[in-house]
Amino acid sequence: MKSFKIGNIKLKNPLLLAPMVDVTDLPYRLICRKAGAALAYTEMLNVGAILHENEKTRRLMKTCADDRPIGIQITGPKVSEFRTVIPILKTGNYDLIDINCGCPSIRTLDNESGSFLLKKPEKIASYIKILKDNGFITTAKIRLGFRNNNIVKIAKLIEKSGADALTIHARLAHDSYKIPADWKFISDVKKQIGIPVIGNGDITDGKQTTEMLKIADGAMIARAAIGDPLIFKRILNYLKTGKEEGFDFSSNIKMFDEYLRLAKKYEVCDLPRIKFIGANFLRNVKGAAKMRADLMQKKSLEEIEEFVGSMIFDI
Ligand SMILES: Cc1cc2nc3c(=O)[nH]c(=O)nc-3n(C[C@H](O)[C@H](O)[C@H](O)COP(=O)(O)O)c2cc1C
């Protein structure tokens, strides 16, 4: 199977789990890896929050020996903070640092971070140089532009600054998910830069992954992996056999059971997060709405474990 390297990290296959706020915590990454994801990232973390040693941020930064290779995704408004945060990043056992230049949330834009950086390409370049000078394998995740498409210019600058790979979510910062990701620009960039390009946007099955891998080195999956970690297994099977397997509720709910076990072990998830993630598993099956409503009533991790356990017993 075609795969690629980021710096000296050799990926076992070309499928990546996208960074996702409220989703890609340590237990979630571990179940997606078990299903086949070759690389996973923390959710986006603001450098300011890391520097202030915010308790929630610290939990989200947690990783473990099985959680490899791992990228920590960071963003922030200040070059000085990128310098100050280096010692903390060095203690973290991360394989690579990814710079988020794509988040369009109002809070992030107010903080002059995320996709705001697409308006300040020279800042992205400075961040990359600081991380590279400190020995980190460094990548960036960008969109096609802020309001105007400047993807080729930014991609070339990112390469010139020393980045080891580039991920492109093929939409402008303010495009909603209703606007299809435009993969043509991923293809354009791939032809014009030499570092690996990871394509992202609207991948939901094996056939689309195959199309993405014709134009990019890697395929990154976000929404389709929420509540369905086994998408990685199905896609890998498609890449080997050309056969698309269907979603299987009972196998997937066992993955949520595993998530709960890991959440208990690593103590990184609060109850609202576990319920949000769990609700995404309860779909594509008869009675899903009632199951989700029942889940929301649960008052502890133990109650959720019991609820999910009975579901496994029932199927
Ligand atoms: C719930 C959620 C949280 C997200 N959080 C992040 C994040 O922390 N960092 C990031 O770079 N992108 C984030 N994204 C964007 C995704 O990584 C991805 O670029 C986008 O959803 C397109 O991929 P998809 O079509 O496979 O969903 C998030 C998306 C979703 C749905």
Side-chain angles (χ1 to χ4, degrees), residues 235-248:
I235 293 178
L236 287 173
N237 186 57
Y238 182 93
L239 296 180
K240 283 187 205 126
T241 66
K243 284 197 194 98
E244 208 82 78
E245 288 175 348
F247 172 87
D248 175 39

Side-chain angles (χ1 to χ4, degrees), residues 18-21 23 43-44 73 100 141 169 171 177 200-203 220-224 226:
M20 281 186 280
V21 168
V23 181
E43 65 180 64
M44 177 185 75
Q73 192 190 57
N100 180 310
K141 181 165 178 280
H169 173 195
R171 289 186 172 86
Y177 283 119
N200 169 240
D202 297 344
I203 298 174
M220 177 183 277
I221 300 167
R223 286 167 299 159
I226 307 178

Side-chain angles (χ1 to χ4, degrees), residues 142-212:
I142 62 177
R143 291 192 176 217
L144 300 180
F146 192 71
R147 285 193 205 289
N148 302 314
N149 185 324
N150 58 351
I151 180 82
V152 173
K153 188 173 152 227
I154 292 212
K156 284 186 174 170
L157 180 65
I158 285 173
E159 174 177 46
K160 195 168 149 228
S161 311
D164 296 282
L166 173 67
T167 302
I168 303 172
H169 173 195
R171 289 186 172 86
L172 292 171
H174 292 287
D175 285 351
S176 81
Y177 283 119
K178 285 187 193 133
I179 298 174
D182 194 342
W183 293 6
K184 171 187 172 297
F185 295 103
I186 298 175
S187 170
D188 282 357
V189 169
K190 173 66 193 161
K191 286 178 199 141
Q192 297 189 56
I193 64 173
I195 55 175
V197 172
I198 299 151
N200 169 240
D202 297 344
I203 298 174
T204 56
D205 61 21
K207 189 160 180 287
Q208 286 164 329
T209 306
T210 305
E211 292 308 308
M212 181 62 91

Side-chain angles (χ1 to χ4, degrees), residues 25 28 44 66 68 89 137 176 228 233 250 257:
D25 49 41
Y28 206 79
M44 177 185 75
D66 291 336
R68 307 293 292 272
L89 295 178
I137 295 177
S176 81
D228 183 12
K233 186 161 179 269
S250 77
D257 193 48

